[in-house]
Amino acid sequence: MDVDFEELYQSVILDHSRKPRNFGPLPDPTVTVAGDNPTCGDEIALSLKIDPQADKVAGVGFTGSGCSICMASASLMTLKVKGKTRAEAGALLNDFQGMITGKTPEAEIPKALGDLRLLSGVRKFPQRVKCATLGWHALKGALAQTEGAAKFSVDPKDADL
Amino acid sequence: MWLPLFAASMHDLAKHAPAAIDWAALRRDFPILNQEVHGKPLVYLDSAASSQKPRQVIDAIVHYYEHDHSNVHRGIHELSNRATAAYEGARERTARFLNANTPEEIVFTRGTTESINLVAATWGERHVGAGDHILITELEHHANLIPWQQLARRKGAELLYIPVQGDNGRLDLSRLDELLTPKVKLFAFTHISNTMGTVNPAAELCRRAREVGAVTLVDAAQSAGHCLVDVQEIGCDFLVFSGHKILGPTGIGVLYGKPERFAEMPPYQTGGEMIVSVDWHEAKFKPAPHGFEAGTPHVAGAVGLHAAMDYLDDVGRRNIWEHDRDLAAYTYTRLSELPGVRLFGPGTDRAGLVSFLLEDVHAHDLVTMADGHGIALRGGHHCNQPLHRKLGVKSSARASFYFYNTREEVDKLIESVEKIRAFFAR
């Protein structure tokens, strides 16, 4: 199979899209943010449980459906964000955005992104960047919010998180 | 008496002789098709979204701009006369293309979407009131859904849908008696479904609408360039389509209307070209078609559309119809032989497109990978979100054909789909 696709659809990504981690409703969430991608119909609702003392993400869960890139990206994100403070999660978000939009040169992609770096191939497919960022839009909304639920739609032209 | 006999025998001869069309030569008229994408020969299977353009259409537009361009209808000079003749010639050609009675029944618009919005904003605004019904179908493209949805909301009218039976894409016409009542002021439906490939019985539906006094609008976006569309045979009040789907340029479209319908419509946009006389506080408007074409029209677009219609009728729309349907039937059969493929639309009597899904593979993943094999498919909801929701899917992949496509290209599609299935199953 073609080299680019091997890179885009690596086995870790396919594994996460088939068996997304932290998938399912989170009991008693502090915030829930649901987002959809109107161009393709993908939907993701992300719930966070925030420990108010430490201001840390104590629990995370997501529901929804989407293409393999969308599901894998959200699944990998939940693994990474658990246990992080709001500030740390915000920094992760910036690192991911830099990688996925291609603003960060390949050699400078932070090691801290871990398995999320496997998604760097997406930057070669501009029309798929929005797939990879849907869960992250939800994270950004959830971090900005102190409690309750919110809904948004992603502007397909807007790659910025 | 020998002449009709001779004509009849010629006709029979043509009917029984194998189609002597050199499809490969026609394909060479389309410069864009002769290229590689991602290192593979381009296989363009997205003509339902937009068709490609033959050299003849491109040349007609270039010739117009190099020799004849000026503004229309107002100049006295030579170029203005030529531009006006070209523009009105395209109108006359369109009337012949649709077998309309006169060129005055043809209004040029930006495309199907604007044509429908024009009717909703003028005829609909004046004739649809609170409690009235607007009838459409679940097959409609958003362009033939949202204008009616918004009109119904503005007017307090009710929007009703003829349901789709399910994956087979056929309308449940057993519900027609119950839905198509004298309360229906307007009945709008697609001739051919852009998602399902269903061919609706347009003439029969219009006949039934006339019995209850409903005005009809036929969305011919997917049919006008693929089969013979005869507005007199169909018997519709309005019929709409876009130039870019029938080999013409983008930005030009057609609204056919019966003269009695145009006569009962207020203006759409107002301004230059559409007036008889203007005073500080009042204006008199031209009748159709010019009364619905405010501003400088897309003359080059009309010139390109004219060339496109000439091209299509040189090939013969009956021949094109058979060719496209053969490819779709072949695709449908080949795909149905693969495991894990869900097919949409009727198994028989389908137009030249096939929508499908691969089990456990999202349509966007499928379309991205097919693109890597040089194959251009459409992936998404094809501007028909409610229908996809009803079928319980977010999106689907669609292969749509035109006469420049070949069975070899379908074979490449099947090979690609098999590779993609294997890839995601690993």
Side-chain angles (χ1 to χ4, degrees):
Chain A
M1 197 106 205
D2 323 62
V3 177
D4 279 351
F5 294 111
E6 287 288 2
E7 197 185 335
L8 184 63
Y9 295 108
Q10 300 187 56
S11 54
V12 174
I13 292 171
L14 290 181
D15 178 59
H16 274 266
S17 78
R18 288 190 194 116
K19 291 174 291 188
R21 319 299 198 266
N22 296 306
F23 191 73
L26 182 72
D28 203 18
T30 316
V31 289
T32 298
V33 173
D36 73 340
N37 222 326
T39 48
C40 57
D42 289 358
E43 297 167 332
I44 282 199
L46 179 75
S47 295
L48 298 183
K49 191 160 180 62
I50 306 283
D51 171 356
Q53 258 78 50
D55 199 34
K56 271 187 176 172
V57 179
V60 55
F62 78 105
T63 58
S65 65
C67 65
S68 55
I69 304 297
C70 169
M71 296 302 278
S73 181
S75 170
L76 287 161
M77 178 265 287
T78 61
L79 289 180
K80 208 75 195 163
V81 85
K82 210 181 208 168
K84 288 214 166 23
T85 64
R86 268 182 215 271
E88 287 166 345
L92 179 73
L93 208 140
N94 283 337
D95 285 351
F96 184 78
Q97 176 177 346
M99 176 188 79
I100 210 78
T101 57
K103 280 177 195 145
T104 309
E106 191 121 23
E108 291 168 31
I109 294 172
K111 292 214 166 39
L113 284 170
D115 276 354
L116 284 165
R117 284 181 299 172
L118 297 171
L119 283 163
S120 67
V122 175
R123 56 209 243 152
K124 292 182 192 153
F125 298 83
Q127 71 279 32
R128 301 302 298 276
V129 168
K130 65 182 169 46
C131 307
T133 52
L134 180 59
W136 294 80
H137 277 284
L139 176 66
K140 189 184 185 187
L143 290 173
Q145 205 163 319
T146 46
E147 57 178 8
K151 250 191 139 104
F152 69 93
S153 283
V154 177
D155 181 345
K157 292 184 291 297
D158 184 13
D160 284 344
L161 280 165
Chain B
M1 284 307 288
W2 63 271
L3 197 62
L5 274 173
F6 177 70
S9 66
M10 281 301 282
H11 178 72
D12 284 346
L13 203 70
K15 207 163 63 184
H16 296 299
I21 295 172
D22 187 350
W23 297 107
L26 294 177
R27 183 185 167 97
R28 287 193 292 275
D29 286 336
F30 293 77
I32 203 170
L33 296 175
N34 183 27
Q35 67 172 301
E36 293 193 341
V37 294
H38 306 303
K40 310 273 166 47
L42 169 65
V43 176
Y44 186 76
L45 302 182
D46 198 19
S47 292
S50 197
S51 74
Q52 298 301 350
K53 321 302 170 198
R55 170 61 63 202
Q56 290 82 340
V57 167
I58 298 166
D59 285 350
I61 295 168
V62 170
H63 185 275
Y64 168 75
Y65 277 129
E66 286 185 348
H67 298 278
D68 301 329
H69 173 67
S70 174
N71 212 326
V72 292
H73 297 139
R74 51 177 73 133
I76 313 266
H77 57 79
E78 169 65 16
L79 289 189
S80 181
N81 288 339
R82 279 192 224 158
T84 304
Y87 186 62
E88 293 306 320
R91 194 191 308 281
E92 187 275 329
R93 181 66 183 91
T94 307
R96 265 195 293 135
F97 189 75
L98 296 175
N99 195 29
N101 276 314
T102 70
E104 286 69 42
E105 295 169 4
I106 305 299
V107 169
F108 285 125
T109 63
R110 281 193 297 135
T112 302
T113 299
E114 190 179 48
S115 295
I116 297 171
N117 275 278
L118 191 162
V119 175
T122 58
W123 192 91
E125 200 65 33
R126 182 165 282 182
H127 294 92
V128 175
D132 287 341
H133 289 181
I134 301 169
L135 181 62
I136 62 174
T137 86
E138 289 183 346
L139 287 174
E140 299 317 308
H141 186 285
H142 292 164
N144 201 24
L145 191 163
I146 307 171
W148 309 120
Q149 184 188 70
Q150 297 304 308
L151 176 68
R153 289 168 69 109
R154 283 201 300 278
K155 295 291 181 172
E158 202 175 335
L159 181 62
L160 304 176
Y161 290 85
I162 300 176
V164 171
Q165 293 174 13
D167 280 12
N168 75 7
R170 293 188 198 277
L171 292 176
D172 182 0
L173 292 177
S174 69
R175 299 278 308 279
L176 198 60
D177 276 338
E178 163 203 338
L179 291 165
L180 187 54
T181 66
K183 286 187 117 177
V184 175
K185 285 285 176 292
L186 185 125
F187 178 22
F189 61 89
T190 188
H191 193 185
I192 289 175
S193 161
N194 72 311
T195 306
M196 296 295 198
T198 320
V199 184
N200 287 321
E204 168 66 8
L205 293 176
C206 288
R207 188 185 65 73
R208 296 282 290 273
R210 278 197 302 278
E211 287 175 4
V212 297
V215 161
T216 46
L217 181 144
V218 176
D219 174 358
Q222 296 296 341
S223 60
H226 293 263
C227 60
L228 282 173
V229 170
D230 180 330
V231 289
Q232 298 192 53
E233 192 184 304
I234 293 172
C236 50
D237 291 284
F238 298 107
L239 184 136
V240 299
F241 66 93
S242 299
H244 73 94
K245 289 198 205 296
I246 75 158
L247 312 183
T250 55
I252 186 88
V254 169
L255 165 63
Y256 157 84
K258 279 186 175 161
E260 56 267 40
R261 292 291 89 74
F262 281 151
E264 60 192 19
M265 283 156 55
Y268 179 49
Q269 295 181 339
T270 53
E273 305 267 12
M274 54 79 71
I275 47 94
V276 176
S277 65
V278 182
D279 210 334
W280 292 124
H281 296 288
E282 59 180 4
K284 283 192 181 130
F285 307 123
K286 282 181 187 164
H290 300 111
F292 297 101
E293 294 178 357
T296 297
H298 187 8
V299 185
V303 167
L305 182 63
H306 188 154
M309 290 174 170
D310 284 348
Y311 190 100
L312 287 170
D313 283 342
D314 279 352
V315 181
R317 278 178 279 167
R318 279 201 181 84
N319 298 325
I320 293 171
W321 181 236
E322 289 314 317
H323 179 278
D324 296 354
R325 277 160 57 97
D326 173 70
L327 284 188
Y330 179 58
T331 307
Y332 190 92
T333 306
R334 291 290 313 272
L335 282 173
S336 68
E337 288 162 3
L338 300 180
V341 171
R342 181 172 170 187
L343 285 153
F344 299 98
T348 54
D349 302 324
R350 69 159 49 240
L353 62 92
V354 180
S355 291
F356 64 100
L357 266 180
L358 261 181
E359 200 179 355
D360 298 329
V361 182
H362 191 285
H364 274 196
D365 293 327
L366 194 160
V367 172
T368 294
M369 296 199 81
D371 180 49
H373 301 144
I375 302 173
L377 300 174
R378 174 80 193 264
H381 48 61
H382 317 309
C383 292
N384 195 330
Q385 259 179 338
L387 177 62
H388 276 79
R389 217 169 281 136
K390 171 170 174 156
L391 299 174
V393 296
K394 290 276 163 56
S395 55
S396 56
R398 181 185 69 191
S400 56
F401 306 102
Y402 219 167
F403 57 88
Y404 40 66
N405 293 122
T406 65
R407 280 200 174 216
E408 288 69 40
E409 289 182 309
V410 176
D411 292 337
K412 283 184 186 167
L413 169 69
I414 301 300
E415 196 185 316
S416 167
V417 171
E418 280 182 307
K419 271 190 194 166
I420 294 165
R421 193 171 56 81
F423 184 82
F424 280 94
R426 77 200 156 120

